[in-house]
Amino acid sequence: MAQWIFLNELEQARSLYLDAYRAKHGFVSPMIKRRYWDDINWLEQETERLILETVQRE
């Protein structure tokens, strides 16, 4: 977790997305198209969607 402070905002968004995907599906996310992987807004929206779906499921 100490490494978190060394990540830029995009890297943090990517990490959160990957964690949320893994929590919801139980496995690693498939490859994401570059235009989405580099889009912080898309990453944040998808992360929020994944979290909400995971919470609603439980």
Side-chain angles (χ1 to χ4, degrees):
M1 185 57 77
Q3 293 176 305
W4 185 259
I5 62 172
F6 297 111
L7 299 178
N8 65 38
E9 192 175 4
L10 179 59
E11 292 168 331
Q12 289 176 351
R14 288 173 175 167
S15 179
L16 290 172
Y17 170 82
L18 293 174
D19 288 347
Y21 190 95
R22 190 175 314 112
K24 180 175 190 285
H25 297 287
F27 52 87
V28 177
S29 169
M31 293 290 289
I32 298 170
K33 292 182 181 181
R34 176 59 109 197
R35 69 175 179 247
Y36 297 125
W37 192 239
D38 291 338
D39 183 346
I40 194 163
N41 292 320
W42 183 89
L43 288 164
E44 289 175 347
Q45 289 174 342
E46 285 300 299
T47 300
E48 184 175 344
R49 183 185 63 78
L50 288 166
I51 291 169
L52 291 174
E53 289 176 1
T54 301
V55 171
Q56 290 173 352
R57 184 181 59 181
E58 295 177 0

